[in-house]
Amino acid sequence: MTEPTLILLSLAIPLLGALVIALTGANKNLRDSLMVVSALLVFLTVLSLLPSVSAGGRPAISLFEIMPGLAMAFSIEPLGMVFALVASGLWVITSVYGIGYMRGAHEKNQTRFFACFSIAIFAALGVAFAENMFTLFIFYEVLSLSTYPLVAHKGDENAKRGARIYLGLLLGTSIGLMLPAMLATWWLAGTLSFQPGGILQDNVSRGIGAVLLILYMFGIGKAALMPFHRWLPSAMVAPTPVSALLHAVAVVKAGVFTVLKVSIYLFGLDYLQSLWSTDLIMWVAAFTLLSASIIALQKTNLKARLAYSTVSQLSYIVLGAMLANQLAVVGGGLHIVMHAFGKITLFFCAGAIYVAAHKTEIRELDGLGRKMPITMFAFLLGALSVIGAPPLGGFWSKWNLMLGAVDAQQSIMIAVFLLSTLLNIAYLVPPVIRAFLLAPPKDDEYHTKPGIQEAPLFCLVPLCITALGAFSLFFFADPVRSLIESMFVSVR
Amino acid sequence: MTLTQQLPILVVVVPLFIAPLLSMITGRSNLPWLIATITSALTFLIAVGLTGQVLANGELFYELGNWPVPFGIGLTIGPLAAMMLLIITGASLAGLLAGKRSMEVELGEGQPSLFYACWLLALAGLIGITVTGDAFNVFVFMEISSLASYVMVANGPNRLALTASFKYLVTGTLGATFYLIGVGYLYMMTGTLNLADMASRLEGISDTLPVLMAGGFLMLGLALKAALFPMHAWMPNAYQFAPTPVAIFFAACSTKVALFVMLRFDFVVLLPNLGAHAEILSSFLIPLCVAAFLVGSAVAIFERDLKRMLGYSSVAQIGYIVLGMSLVTSAGLTASMIHFFNHALIKAALFTAVAGIFLRYGSARLDDLAGLGQRMPLTMFAFVLAGLSLIGVPLTAGFISKWYLIQAVLETGSLGILLTILILVSSLMAVVYVWKVVEVAYFKAPTEPVTRQEAPLALQLVLWVLVLANFWFGIDPSLPLTLSTMEASTLLGAGR
């Protein structure tokens, strides 16, 4: 098959998948197996595009022009390839996990849930492959809209309120800030396509460029820069597979991916360095990074803590982009992968704990390591990876980011990274300590039953796979890094 | 002359002559509906033919009875008029096709034939305003369509329809009177009623007081008819209490016809002959437009009745349209006219969905609509899609409108940045009021168990055709774009 066909196929399969899921909703087993098959197919299709991209190719296809020069078009560059691989690969695992979780937790409306999930993956891949800002924007909005029903899934007042904040902030920032930035870019530069070296430097004065940067960075609400981060904790009312794949991987990473794309391909790193607002955004990111960690410390609900941890980790990537040198940007790209594996493991574990033991608060985790040793060990691995400790994948991305900060001579930022690592330890390690070292509560129904009680295999196997992934990425980080670095090599 | 050359007059005459014949049918049967629908379909086909001719050959002229203009009456169909014809006839057809069941239910005891006769008269009147090149003819057709629409609104299922219709009547009559006074002044000064002729005869006497007075009266009268803020109060009322199919028809086109006349007067007659007209237009209308879309959207957020909410949303949308006009630039005019077309598509789709909902629930109040997403999944999904177009999400027609409007606004410099921000704020408010409906429909637990009960098939078909059109013209906007740019260049060409 030709490459353009493969691109279209990788977008069409999840969309058709959603339709198939909706139609076969009556037969649960058929529906779920078809979902896993479609997830696998998508992953393989995306994977089959990898050789050409890593050889320096840029598979591309233009669908149609809405206005002269404004096309719905796709083109795959290394960063998009990495993001697409992560999103589609982890979707396979999450779909398996989702089956176990949704059945184990007896959730209603599973068909709607899985169908929307499929559409969300379609949108995430569209964001990854977008050739221009306009196409990216469309898929970005589809992603916001298709995940709304997932967040509001439970349908009670709490879920509705959370979903309202979720959609309001994401649509609000994108329409209120990103859209005008995009319109102004189009008006000033006459194009919206992502080009190496950027499209703005020759057309836009520094002053306007600086304002545009602010609009873009806050407009990309999915990157959760403060003060537009509230949607992410609100989204935690969703069932855990959603939090795992979407709010640790697809949606939030679509946000920081867009940040990187905009920085590299619209502004260009050199131009970015010359803007005054780059520093401003860098400081906002540093502030977000630290204060979100501190908030995470105070959260007693496991998922809420993980959510604020995500807010903090996303700012690593934004900060990396704002350091505006190759090392830091590659570090940001790596962090998309590393954090994805670490955080999805943590969420999977939180979900498994909920399914098996119906526990959601951190203080309830006491002694849980004896009942769910595998889950809690996986949790430890995920936590260490997010902290950035060797020998786990998270080490490399933080390493690169710090090298980038050194390269940019931002000594304060190095201190910020270090301080935040300490904070990461402070909020991620205690749950593990509680689980393994403290005695279980005396009169707890769950703990009085003898023996090991792990979550169903459908939940357990996926979380083991992702934990192993986080571990092995320490040893196999190099292929990923060289792939990301190849985006700075001029196109063949 | 061949039949194709007679199309400009046929499009008016056909519904105008069939209406009185229709009113003679007595008794209750499907026949009046059938005749009205066939007539409406016929005019739609004629409109399509006319649009084809305009696209191929440019503006069409037709002299009634072969009397040369200005002695006889001349019909002119330019690109915008062709677009208006498509909108009017299309909306009428959609309303009739989708609304058959609704009208059976909502009309109650009355004579259906009389109602449908009024429908055809309104149709003929609106078409007449669009095609004629004569200022007094516009008044006559305006009265025909208005009188018919008062009757149609008054036929609503609730007795409050009577007061709504009365408000509509008072405002409409005021508007028409002001318009007539304006035309009177111009006739006094020029001795002609043909618009093009009027423009050229005014050249010697431009900037005189009567012309200025005429301009004022015309603008005011037409703004009343067009429900431009703050003269909009009649409109949400009329939409709320009118039978829903009537709302489909009128929401898509009736106020736009007044805007169409306003455009013609502003750019053909007044702009070349009033030195300060461009400035007056901008400084007077831009604040009103901004207020229109901000207030309209804000009120829509707090409305609990779906029809009324959409009515206030129309107030906001009219603000966008007039904003484009009042920039007095080619880009602004284009944006404004594109929104003529796109807004018609959006509102027709939304009101069609509401017609379906009203038919099943007997109410369009948000409080009554819990469980709507399960009871009528297809209808509600279509409503959401059309709502996205109203918000202006990419790939929908609404996005094209916003895109062109913002580009046009940005051309004006620093004021443009402020206006862009305000437009975006208003778009965000649209998100809020559309989403309010979504929440009630999908996430509010119904009090009693729901069984699936979709709207009638015909309504579904019309609804989905309209929704798909919203996406079609969001992806390939070439038809409205071509017509709008053609018209913008003629209008500004005439003025400069």
Side-chain angles (χ1 to χ4, degrees), chain A residues 64-67 70 112 134 137-138 145 148-149 152 155 160 164 167 171-172 175 179-180 182-183 186-187, chain B residues 388 391 393-395 399-400 403-404 406-407 410-411 424 427-428 431 435 438-439 442-444 474-475 477:
Chain A
F64 48 81
E65 273 196 350
I66 291 182
M67 278 166 250
L70 196 65
R112 178 180 79 187
F134 177 72
F137 182 76
I138 293 172
L145 293 171
Y148 170 81
K160 266 194 287 184
R164 210 177 293 148
L167 196 73
L171 279 188
I175 292 180
L179 181 62
M182 192 170 93
L183 279 163
W186 165 259
W187 197 56
Chain B
L388 292 181
I391 296 168
V393 172
L395 295 189
F399 177 73
I400 302 289
W403 182 274
Y404 275 96
I406 291 181
Q407 294 288 338
L410 277 176
E411 277 184 4
L424 290 167
S427 307
L428 288 176
V431 176
W435 231 253
V438 171
E439 277 193 356
Y442 287 106
F443 296 103
K444 188 176 175 194
I475 291 170

Side-chain angles (χ1 to χ4, degrees), chain B residues 69-70 133 135 186-187 189-207 211 263-274 490-491 493-496:
Chain B
V69 173
L186 287 179
Y187 183 65
M189 298 307 285
T190 60
T192 181
L193 285 168
N194 181 283
L195 282 180
D197 195 34
M198 206 182 254
S200 58
R201 287 200 199 189
L202 274 172
E203 262 160 33
I205 45 167
S206 44
D207 287 313
V211 181
L263 257 180
R264 297 272 294 268
F265 266 101
D266 272 336
F267 286 87
V268 178
V269 180
L270 296 175
L271 202 56
N273 297 313
L274 278 176
T490 13
L491 282 182
R496 294 286 142 86

Side-chain angles (χ1 to χ4, degrees), chain A residues 119-175:
Chain A
I119 295 174
I121 293 300
F122 154 76
L125 290 179
V127 168
F129 293 161
E131 190 272 336
N132 52 47
M133 194 61 207
F134 177 72
T135 312
L136 194 150
F137 182 76
I138 293 172
F139 283 97
Y140 183 98
E141 298 293 41
V142 174
L143 191 54
S144 306
L145 293 171
S146 61
T147 46
Y148 170 81
L150 298 174
V151 176
H153 185 78
K154 280 215 171 75
D156 53 14
E157 255 328 293
N158 201 12
K160 266 194 287 184
R161 194 177 328 113
R164 210 177 293 148
I165 297 175
Y166 177 79
L167 196 73
L169 268 178
L170 289 184
L171 279 188
T173 48
S174 65
I175 292 180

